[in-house]
Amino acid sequence: MARTPASLSGQDEGSFAYLTIKDRIPQILTRAIDTLHRHKSEFFEKHGEKGTEAEKKAISLLSKLRNELQTDKPIIPFVEKFVDTDIWNQYLEYQQSLLNENDGKPRWFYSPWLFVECYMYRRIHEAIIQSPPIDDFDVFKESKDQNFFESQESVIALCTHLQEVVRAIEDLDENQLREEFFRLLQISLWGNKCDLSLSSGETRSQKTNVINSLEELKPLILVNDMERLWLLLNNCKKTREKASITRVVIVLDNSGFELVTDLVLADFLLSSQLATEIHFYGKTIPWFVSDTTIRDFNWLIEQMKMSNHKWMSKCGADWEAYVKTGRWVYRDHIFWTLPHEFCVMSQVAPDLYAELQKAHLILFKGDLNYRKLTGDRKWEFTVPFHQALNGFHPAPLCSIRTLKAELQVGLKPGQAEQYVASEPNWLTTGKYGIFQFDGPL
Ligand code: F6P
Ligand code: MG
């Protein structure tokens, strides 16, 4: 196999990786510390003095972590026993083995960015599980929930739209179905702008009705393989025998508005019979501020169900029923919160890889998934996506992502150059998006 390029890293001064490690990550830690502080009285009411002690302990562990980071100290092993501790510590040893003798230990600014950023979120989790009885506290929960509440108007507009489509679905011809599929895919794409790690946890909710902006946003889609998704799923629908299945996997990203857009898409896939079952994957622990956990998933469906708005609560009720009847399956796997690139999944998590192989299509939402799909490496812009996947081909797959890292492959010659000169930050602001497909033609 051809050699893969070097990893993105904080070594490159001025790069987005460098700025993330230098500024954004410490800000995220500071916000986590503030959040714990603000919940002080709640911890006391729930657990008495033990709650107060735990809050102090968690804060001191996070402050220590922030100091290690800001002074570029060596990356230290995990001490608290958790399901993935051994795999993590082995990975740390592996990073050590990549260094020369004189290099010392892996450090924040000199190691691959993907590794240190994942490590930081895993250390936050360690600080919390080391602080019972508040060891199941999610320091990001509040901002995730706030994002959902602040997006209410858009959520209502989206639910109303979905219900109109579903009611008329029997009457839609193939072309109308295709148009609707494309519409909901694009809504799910732009929903990915709402991640909270880019803003260090400050809310990035969806205040305007995105359905009305799709035409304007279309030129910002740099790679657009929507048609291939349609051909694949429509073909599955047409050739499917009675009682057989079409499984679409959605590897979820952010909770809040983005999750609503993903669930709306998933609802449409079932209602239109483009798929017969949807498997969602979320994160086992709080991750990259806004990523979806099982708690977020259940909470959001419950909120929808309880809403006073007719169509919003109808969506919530339908979605709960999908889960109860097994047409929607929520799963998690520890692999998604490891630092590994996806090309090693078949060795590190063969059970997960085997599960993904059963899918007819896998949709990977968001920027972090893209970084892991492509190994977070300094690929040239024109390298084919298939090559950057570096052997990761469990099933036909598509990345649906707004660009928030200095990484993009599969562009046409000259395409990147159009932006490089005029928009220096085109790769990192979330303004542009892609639907990038890999699979048989
Ligand atoms: O902070 C690093 C980063 O991976 C960015 O590249 C991106 O802004 C964010 O975290 C995660 O984005 P997403 O929620 O789309 O995976
Ligand atoms: Mg995310």
Side-chain angles (χ1 to χ4, degrees), residues 16 20 24-25 28 113-114 117 121 192-199 253-254 258 283 288 290-291 365-371 376 400-406 427-428:
F16 189 65
T20 298
R24 289 172 49 226
I25 294 188
I28 287 169
W113 173 34
L114 179 62
E117 200 172 12
Y121 286 99
N192 181 242
K193 277 186 187 212
C194 296
D195 106 83
L196 299 176
S197 73
L198 200 63
S199 57
D253 187 5
N254 304 303
E258 180 172 359
K283 305 294 195 293
F288 279 67
S290 40
D291 285 15
K365 286 298 313 281
D367 194 69
L368 178 62
N369 277 326
Y370 192 74
R371 292 173 60 195
D376 211 35
I400 302 180
R401 160 232 191 194
T402 58
L403 280 61
K404 294 177 242 164
E406 283 168 325
L427 285 165
T428 55

Side-chain angles (χ1 to χ4, degrees), residues 126-162:
E126 183 171 72
I128 298 296
I129 58 175
Q130 282 183 306
S131 311
I134 62 162
D135 46 353
D136 72 341
F137 185 70
D138 178 349
V139 288
F140 305 125
K141 181 83 182 110
E142 218 176 42
S143 38
K144 288 186 270 195
D145 296 356
Q146 195 185 346
N147 171 283
F148 174 75
F149 290 130
E150 288 181 359
S151 311
Q152 283 305 286
E153 268 181 51
S154 303
V155 172
I156 288 176
L158 205 47
C159 292
T160 308
H161 176 77
L162 175 71

Side-chain angles (χ1 to χ4, degrees), residues 16-74:
F16 189 65
Y18 168 81
L19 293 172
T20 298
I21 302 170
K22 185 172 141 307
D23 301 328
R24 289 172 49 226
I25 294 188
Q27 281 164 18
I28 287 169
L29 277 170
T30 303
R31 285 184 79 98
I33 292 170
D34 287 351
T35 303
L36 281 162
H37 207 68
R38 267 186 298 104
H39 284 75
K40 202 182 175 135
S41 37
E42 184 189 312
F43 297 144
F44 179 74
E45 275 159 31
K46 253 190 174 165
H47 310 288
E49 273 309 315
K50 283 198 172 124
T52 310
E53 287 309 311
E55 177 246 358
K56 279 191 199 149
K57 181 168 182 192
I59 289 182
S60 90
L61 290 167
L62 292 183
S63 307
K64 178 174 172 290
L65 172 61
R66 186 174 52 186
N67 178 271
E68 285 171 29
L69 191 166
Q70 287 178 322
T71 51
D72 201 18
K73 290 270 165 18

Side-chain angles (χ1 to χ4, degrees), residues 372-435:
K372 288 186 162 188
L373 282 166
T374 56
D376 211 35
R377 293 173 183 279
K378 297 177 186 173
W379 295 104
E380 302 212 349
F381 293 123
T382 51
V383 161
F385 185 42
H386 188 83
Q387 183 185 333
L389 287 169
N390 205 14
F392 180 70
H393 310 290
L397 61 86
C398 183
S399 161
I400 302 180
R401 160 232 191 194
T402 58
L403 280 61
K404 294 177 242 164
E406 283 168 325
L407 167 70
Q408 183 58 53
V409 298
L411 296 185
K412 296 194 190 88
Q415 198 180 355
E417 287 70 13
Q418 280 177 34
Y419 306 99
V420 172
S422 57
E423 282 183 71
N425 296 329
W426 66 288
L427 285 165
T428 55
T429 56
K431 173 177 169 187
Y432 294 96
I434 55 161
F435 293 98

Side-chain angles (χ1 to χ4, degrees), residues 249-430:
V249 168
I250 306 183
V251 183
L252 295 170
D253 187 5
N254 304 303
S255 185
F257 183 71
E258 180 172 359
L259 180 57
V260 176
T261 66
D262 297 336
L263 299 184
V264 165
L265 174 65
D267 188 328
F268 173 79
L269 289 175
L270 291 190
S271 308
S272 60
Q273 295 173 38
L274 288 168
T276 60
E277 61 180 43
I278 313 287
H279 285 202
F280 300 100
Y281 279 97
K283 305 294 195 293
T284 317
I285 61 176
W287 200 243
F288 279 67
V289 186
S290 40
D291 285 15
T292 306
T293 64
I294 182 67
R295 257 203 242 169
D296 301 324
F297 185 86
N298 289 336
W299 178 88
L300 186 132
I301 294 183
E302 190 60 26
Q303 291 298 317
M304 304 272 301
K305 220 180 74 180
M306 307 308 282
S307 161
N308 292 328
H309 191 276
K310 185 177 167 192
W311 300 127
M312 207 169 142
S313 72
K314 168 88 167 65
C315 283
D318 288 351
W319 297 351
E320 187 183 61
Y322 287 149
V323 174
K324 282 202 176 130
T325 53
R327 298 186 76 198
W328 279 7
V329 181
Y330 179 96
R331 328 188 67 166
D332 47 24
H333 194 288
I334 203 69
F335 182 81
W336 305 115
T337 48
L338 290 176
H340 301 70
E341 37 193 312
F342 291 165
C343 65
V344 298
M345 184 193 285
S346 59
Q347 295 132 53
V348 178
D351 55 331
L352 176 62
Y353 193 82
E355 241 344 275
L356 292 185
Q357 283 179 308
K358 297 181 197 158
H360 293 82
L361 174 66
I362 312 170
L363 302 177
F364 285 94
K365 286 298 313 281
D367 194 69
L368 178 62
N369 277 326
Y370 192 74
R371 292 173 60 195
K372 288 186 162 188
L373 282 166
T374 56
D376 211 35
R377 293 173 183 279
K378 297 177 186 173
W379 295 104
E380 302 212 349
F381 293 123
T382 51
V383 161
F385 185 42
H386 188 83
Q387 183 185 333
L389 287 169
N390 205 14
F392 180 70
H393 310 290
L397 61 86
C398 183
S399 161
I400 302 180
R401 160 232 191 194
T402 58
L403 280 61
K404 294 177 242 164
E406 283 168 325
L407 167 70
Q408 183 58 53
V409 298
L411 296 185
K412 296 194 190 88
Q415 198 180 355
E417 287 70 13
Q418 280 177 34
Y419 306 99
V420 172
S422 57
E423 282 183 71
N425 296 329
W426 66 288
L427 285 165
T428 55
T429 56

